Amino acid sequence: MNFKYLETPMGSMADEKGIDSKKEIIQIKRNRIFLDVGNRLQKGVIDHHHRYEGIEENRKIYRCATSLVSINKSLILDNIDENANEIEIVLHNSSDFDCYASAFLTE
């Protein structure tokens, strides 16, 4: 399996519909995983920036994409086809440690 890395501007919002000319919205689709960008937590998108106070799961607060990847594997695996040859990983530009660490765990 090959991994292809894509960059999008920091603060971009992932959406099922695709690109909206008024905002930086990038399409959510199979075999594409957004990490530390996307402005939501759902299948295919692991981001925490939409919740300033962090994301609470199992009575713990999570404030980084890396920790969210570690407890939400299904949000990644359920968005990947069993026979996928290539997985796109989308990170924000000027990537930081959280981008790299969450990408490492995802791979």
Side-chain angles (χ1 to χ4, degrees):
M1 183 177 305
N2 294 314
F3 292 91
K4 178 181 180 181
Y5 283 84
L6 304 171
E7 278 191 350
T8 188
M10 204 176 289
S12 293
M13 294 172 48
D15 188 276
E16 291 84 2
K17 297 175 186 173
I19 297 176
D20 176 340
S21 62
K22 295 177 185 159
K23 300 178 185 176
E24 290 292 334
I25 298 178
I26 300 194
Q27 187 176 17
I28 299 168
K29 64 180 189 175
R30 302 282 300 163
N31 303 318
R32 177 181 284 171
I33 306 297
F34 291 84
L35 298 172
D36 203 31
V37 68
N39 210 34
R40 57 182 66 205
L41 180 63
Q42 70 174 62
K43 185 170 74 170
V45 185
I46 309 280
D47 194 14
H48 60 96
H49 293 102
H50 61 290
R51 301 284 300 271
Y52 178 76
E53 68 281 1
I55 295 173
E56 184 176 350
E57 289 196 25
N58 303 322
R59 293 186 282 165
K60 291 184 181 180
I61 304 292
Y62 297 90
R63 292 187 174 95
C64 70
T66 305
S67 62
L68 290 170
V69 165
S70 71
I71 64 165
N72 289 290
K73 296 173 189 83
S74 64
L75 296 180
I76 295 168
L77 297 175
D78 290 349
N79 201 51
I80 298 174
D81 293 332
E82 198 172 304
N83 59 350
N85 291 324
E86 182 176 83
I87 306 296
E88 294 178 344
I89 295 179
V90 182
L91 307 173
H92 61 74
N93 55 4
S94 300
S95 300
D96 53 22
F97 184 77
D98 197 21
C99 289
Y100 298 129
S102 60
F104 177 80
L105 289 181
T106 297
E107 280 195 33

